[in-house]
């Protein structure tokens, strides 16, 4: 007994496959699973580079524990944004050549690298922030840098 799929059935199966792939790749993920389990956040940014008295560049690293006000402020900023899977189903662990890392955040043993292009590296996988290029990533970094620089 031979089973053959009709043309209409083949088209419906193809549309279903494309729809499932689109849903998986465009579904947003929250940063909550990283911030909720972390007792401390460490942040460094290209905006936090300073020069000492001798003109030597110094990278400032900010550390905040869960009970700090700035920890809560940073988590609140992260809660406003989401990320999603990149164009490839294999989810590469290397950012594209056009991405320049601008901020690094550590949540315990989890690392988040944010680039100006909207690509992020999280748990050794590349994701995208927002659907509008790097706008969301830049806005998020600007908000976090504002928190870091506030007294």
């Amino acid at each position: 007994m031979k089973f053959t799929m009709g043309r209409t059935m083949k088209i419906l199966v193809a549309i279903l496959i494309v729809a499932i792939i689109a849903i998986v790749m465009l579904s947003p993920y929250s940063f909550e699973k990283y911030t909720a389990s972390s007792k401390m956040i460490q942040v460094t940014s290209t905006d936090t580079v300073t020069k000492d008295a001798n003109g030597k560049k110094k990278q400032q690293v900010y550390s905040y524990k869960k009970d700090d006000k700035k920890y809560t402020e940073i988590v609140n900023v992260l809660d406003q944004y989401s990320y999603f899977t990149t164009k490839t189903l294999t989810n590469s662990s290397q950012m594209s050549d056009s991405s320049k890392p601008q901020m690094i955040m550590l949540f315990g043993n989890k690392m988040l690298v944010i680039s100006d292009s909207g690509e992020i590296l999280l748990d050794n996988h590349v994701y995208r922030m927002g659907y509008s290029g790097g706008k969301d990533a830049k806005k998020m970094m600007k908000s976090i840098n504002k928190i870091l620089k506030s007294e």
Side-chain angles (χ1 to χ4, degrees), residues 125-144:
H125 295 289
V126 177
Y127 298 95
R128 299 271 321 155
M129 280 193 62
Y131 301 101
S132 58
K135 290 179 188 174
D136 285 347
K138 289 175 184 174
K139 282 175 37 180
M140 185 178 84
M141 288 187 292
K142 185 177 180 180
S143 297
I144 292 172

Side-chain angles (χ1 to χ4, degrees), residues 28-91:
Y29 299 100
S30 167
F31 290 104
E32 183 180 5
K33 76 177 187 178
Y34 298 98
T35 58
S37 62
S38 176
K39 294 180 174 100
M40 176 186 274
I41 292 180
Q42 293 179 301
V43 185
T44 188
S45 167
T46 55
D47 281 5
T48 62
V49 175
T50 58
K51 289 184 180 178
D52 64 14
N54 299 326
K56 186 176 177 184
K57 289 184 180 179
K58 180 179 158 191
Q59 184 73 45
Q60 181 70 35
V61 178
Y62 298 88
S63 298
Y64 304 107
K65 293 185 179 175
K66 201 166 196 155
D67 56 350
D68 290 338
K69 179 184 175 205
K70 288 191 179 192
Y71 176 99
T72 305
E73 290 175 3
I74 291 170
V75 168
N76 288 339
V77 169
L78 290 170
D79 286 345
Q80 296 172 28
Y81 296 92
S82 59
Y83 60 94
F84 58 93
T85 307
T86 56
K87 302 172 198 105
T88 63
L89 291 174
T90 57
N91 208 351

